[in-house]
Amino acid sequence: MSLKCGIVGLPNVGKSTLFNALSNAGAEAANFPFCTIDPNVGLVSVPDQRLLNLAKMVGSKSILPATIEFVDIAGLVKGASEGKGKGNAFLSHIREVDLIIHVVRCFVDDDVIHVEGNVNPERDIRIIEEELILKDLESVEKRVDTLKKQSKSGDKAFRAQLDVAERLREHLENGKSARIFEVTEDEKAAYRDLFLLSAKEVLYACNVGEGDLESGNELVEAVKKVAAEHQDETVMFCAKIEAEIAELDPEEKEMFLEELGLESAGLDRLIHAAYRELGLATYFTVGPKEARAWTIRQGFKAPQAAGVIHTDFERGFIRAETIAYTDFEKYGSEKAAKEAGKMRQEGKEYVVQDGDVMLFRFNV
């Protein structure tokens, strides 16, 4: 299952530095707006100590972690929905992502230009939100015009869709995001294919100075206040430090984090928070050849999880032999866990749990 996250924010908030640290893809980080004209894309391994532990216990020759795709979208500015700063092109890139990672500047540095003249997290967040809503409004207005023409045929389905679209238009005109527009699942058909920007889940990444990494600051608190409106998560990181960490090997990284008094890198926390925001989980397959992590939606039943590996697995599913990661770790091997009665035979209705170690049986 592929997962794509779009990194957005105003110019000079640390987006490209964050992206560089995530993927080492070399996106240009410059002290002026629009330094990233085309979206940069990086495929990043999801850090998971459980996978490394399983590989060591089994003696796997290769380790294949789950991956997450990050898209560095150039800085948006006020008026982006009208095309300012090449805004139309950048906004279209957001349509393709599953999650918006909104980077917010939460540090003061006179040497780094702020496009609005000063640092104000709530204002900066509202600027981006407003541009997404305005772009959505443009799309919905076009849909309303189309549905008006179609409803003249007398078809009740078009009339019903028009009613929903007009309500959505009014909702957006009032400056409210599509995320909080209340409709039934059936009513979403009126605008589902518009891929509304303001309907996407958001994760706030607060870029702070090194001295504020442990306890944050009042600027971070301002972001948390906005995030609480939609129960969104916030993650603190220092872009400059993350860029340094990305150049270190695992042992050096651990020592560096210890010196800073941090348990984990900000990027690791960011990736895990993205998983939580999207309701994702991980299961594992392990053996002498490889240990591999697979990403699924929380609530997936065993056949659906098997289908992530190959559609034939889902189609011909018989059962899943399952060991919880905690039991696998406790007993040290599949054989020992099985002898202890910790291997379960699960059928089609089993809901896969995060950390399950699985072997699927299926008919070809």
Side-chain angles (χ1 to χ4, degrees):
M1 176 181 290
S2 61
L3 170 65
K4 184 181 287 189
C5 297
I7 304 175
V8 307
L10 294 177
N12 297 335
V13 297
K15 294 185 299 79
S16 292
T17 306
L18 171 62
F19 177 80
N20 288 343
L22 279 164
S23 64
N24 292 319
E28 182 185 0
N31 187 24
F32 56 88
F34 317 127
C35 64
T36 311
I37 301 303
D38 295 315
N40 290 279
V41 180
L43 198 62
V44 182
S45 297
V46 176
D48 198 323
Q49 188 60 45
R50 298 174 299 179
L51 178 63
L52 302 180
N53 294 344
L54 286 167
K56 187 175 181 180
M57 285 185 276
V58 176
S60 304
K61 290 182 179 178
S62 65
I63 300 173
L64 297 173
T67 57
I68 184 169
E69 195 172 302
F70 286 91
V71 183
D72 180 22
I73 298 169
L76 298 170
V77 293
K78 191 179 294 183
S81 59
E82 299 170 356
K84 291 183 179 178
K86 298 188 181 292
N88 278 324
F90 301 155
L91 287 167
S92 69
H93 297 144
I94 300 174
R95 295 194 193 283
E96 302 169 6
V97 305
D98 302 296
L99 174 71
I100 293 173
I101 296 180
H102 189 157
V103 180
V104 186
R105 180 170 165 177
C106 293
F107 67 90
V108 177
D109 185 341
D110 293 337
D111 292 330
V112 181
I113 300 165
H114 192 292
V115 72
E116 290 294 318
N118 66 318
V119 178
N120 184 325
E122 183 172 358
R123 177 207 57 209
D124 295 351
I125 290 171
R126 300 302 184 195
I127 287 173
I128 301 295
E129 282 185 347
E130 184 178 334
E131 295 307 318
L132 299 185
I133 290 170
L134 288 173
K135 195 63 180 177
D136 284 346
L137 181 58
E138 179 185 309
S139 299
V140 172
E141 285 175 337
K142 290 178 182 177
R143 174 53 53 86
V144 168
D145 290 342
T146 299
L147 287 170
K148 279 182 177 179
K149 294 173 184 176
Q150 292 173 326
S151 62
K152 288 179 180 178
S153 66
D155 189 316
K156 290 183 179 179
F158 287 135
R159 182 66 249 178
Q161 288 187 27
L162 177 60
D163 289 342
V164 176
E166 287 181 330
R167 280 196 289 118
L168 176 57
R169 179 178 63 184
E170 182 180 357
H171 178 87
L172 295 169
E173 285 175 340
N174 290 326
K176 299 177 182 178
S177 72
R179 294 173 72 191
I180 56 173
F181 181 61
E182 296 183 2
V183 286
T184 65
E185 193 60 39
D186 290 340
E187 289 176 327
K188 287 182 181 178
Y191 60 88
R192 182 179 286 113
D193 60 348
L194 294 179
F195 302 104
L196 299 177
L197 306 179
S198 67
K200 295 183 180 295
E201 297 295 326
V202 180
L203 169 63
Y204 292 98
C206 303
N207 187 8
V208 300
E210 182 177 341
D212 293 323
L213 260 178
E214 283 193 72
S215 56
N217 55 35
E218 60 183 16
L219 299 174
V220 173
E221 293 306 310
V223 176
K224 288 181 178 180
K225 184 178 178 181
V226 175
E229 294 174 8
H230 299 303
Q231 289 77 54
D232 295 322
E233 281 200 57
T234 60
V235 176
M236 281 197 308
F237 76 103
C238 175
K240 290 181 179 180
I241 287 179
E242 296 300 331
E244 292 178 35
I245 291 175
E247 300 296 326
L248 303 176
D249 62 38
E251 189 174 326
E252 290 174 326
K253 174 181 173 180
E254 190 174 332
M255 291 175 61
F256 187 52
L257 289 172
E258 192 174 319
E259 288 176 10
L260 294 172
L262 301 173
E263 292 183 5
S264 61
L267 302 187
D268 293 355
R269 297 195 303 275
L270 186 72
I271 292 172
H272 292 147
Y275 263 54
R276 289 192 296 272
E277 280 287 322
L278 289 170
L280 301 176
T282 302
Y283 77 85
F284 306 101
T285 55
V286 296
K289 288 186 177 180
E290 68 174 36
R292 184 161 183 170
W294 301 89
T295 301
I296 58 171
R297 298 280 180 191
Q298 290 178 10
F300 263 26
K301 293 183 179 180
Q304 290 174 289
V308 172
I309 298 176
H310 197 287
T311 53
D312 286 349
F313 284 27
E314 181 173 7
R315 193 163 37 243
F317 179 87
I318 299 173
R319 68 179 183 276
E321 296 175 0
T322 308
I323 303 171
Y325 169 77
T326 51
D327 290 328
F328 205 112
E329 183 183 40
K330 179 180 178 180
Y331 294 99
S333 71
E334 178 184 315
K335 182 181 178 182
K338 187 176 182 179
E339 289 174 350
K342 297 301 181 181
M343 177 182 281
R344 310 184 308 276
Q345 305 291 323
E346 302 290 2
K348 293 182 178 180
E349 295 304 310
Y350 175 68
V351 177
V352 178
Q353 300 300 301
D354 184 68
D356 277 351
V357 181
M358 310 191 79
L359 173 65
F360 296 107
R361 302 294 183 183
F362 64 99
N363 286 317
V364 179

